[in-house]
Amino acid sequence: MKKLIFMLPICALSYMGKAQITSVGITAGLNAGVNKTYTFQAGNYSILLNNMNDIGGLNFGVFLEHNLFTKYSLSHSIILHHYYPNYFVTGSPAGNSGGSSAVFAVTYSGLLRLFNKGGVRLLAGPGVDINSLSTAPMPDTTDEDLNEILDQLQNNVKPIVYYIGAELGYRAGRIDIALKYNYSLNSFTQPLAYQGETYGIPTRSAFLFLNIGFLIFDKNLRELKNK
């Protein structure tokens, strides 16, 4: 079902040949990432996934809007950003330890415009995060079991995470302001495997983006200029 929801805007791209592009722009801004904390026991170790509480990160992106089936408007956007999930592990004879993962994310959204009046718009729809780790290996401790757990935790962010998103925006001339919220439909972490047991980490991520964009092309502005 999650894949089906995500595929709807992708299928709509097959109509791009018939659809009229209405605007193209570039965007940049700030973002904040959060997740619920989660604690579990694996053998003798107590593991805590902290709230990433990543506030003030930078992001950059592009967006394209086009008409769909003559009646609707669809917005596609790609945003590049970082986030940093982190863990804390207790119960080791070598002492407590922790670490974090640096994740480089490419976020694609396909949002349907639900409201548009006076420059104000409201959109909603599905999307996907394509994640890539950019974390250096952690130094080993004297506890081999702890090293195994830390290595897994540092590399357990899923490469693909699906989400549902909403956007509230305002446009004046070529300037575009957008507040976007994404909430993952599946956990953003892989399970931990330790001593023949598998421990799921069922926590989801959410991101808030506040961006200012500039329209490289806008159909309405071009038509006004040509009058």
Side-chain angles (χ1 to χ4, degrees), residues 69-126:
F69 306 127
T70 70
K71 187 178 179 181
Y72 301 99
S73 177
L74 196 63
S75 174
H76 305 271
S77 67
I78 296 176
I79 295 177
L80 311 179
H81 66 104
H82 276 86
Y83 65 96
Y84 302 90
N86 58 90
Y87 295 87
F88 188 69
V89 183
T90 61
S92 169
N96 300 333
S97 186
S100 64
S101 301
V103 184
F104 179 77
V106 179
T107 295
Y108 165 78
S109 301
L111 304 181
L112 184 68
R113 184 166 299 191
L114 305 176
F115 175 84
N116 185 32
K117 187 175 182 180
V120 178
R121 69 184 183 277
L122 176 65
L123 307 95

Side-chain angles (χ1 to χ4, degrees), residues 25-30 59 63 65 75 79 113 116 118-123 166-180 209-215:
I26 56 176
T27 184
L30 300 175
N59 69 82
F63 61 88
E65 299 170 349
S75 174
I79 295 177
R113 184 166 299 191
N116 185 32
V120 178
R121 69 184 183 277
L122 176 65
L123 307 95
E167 179 181 312
L168 178 64
Y170 176 74
R171 184 168 296 173
R174 291 189 178 274
I175 302 301
D176 185 272
I177 301 174
L179 180 65
K180 180 180 292 187
F209 301 90
L210 177 60
N211 283 22
I212 297 179
F214 178 80
L215 273 69

Side-chain angles (χ1 to χ4, degrees), residues 120-152:
V120 178
R121 69 184 183 277
L122 176 65
L123 307 95
V128 62
D129 278 347
I130 303 172
N131 297 317
S132 176
L133 289 169
S134 56
T135 302
M138 293 181 60
D140 288 339
T141 70
T142 57
D143 184 343
E144 293 299 325
D145 288 337
L146 177 62
N147 294 337
E148 177 187 344
I149 289 175
L150 290 175
D151 286 344
Q152 286 192 60

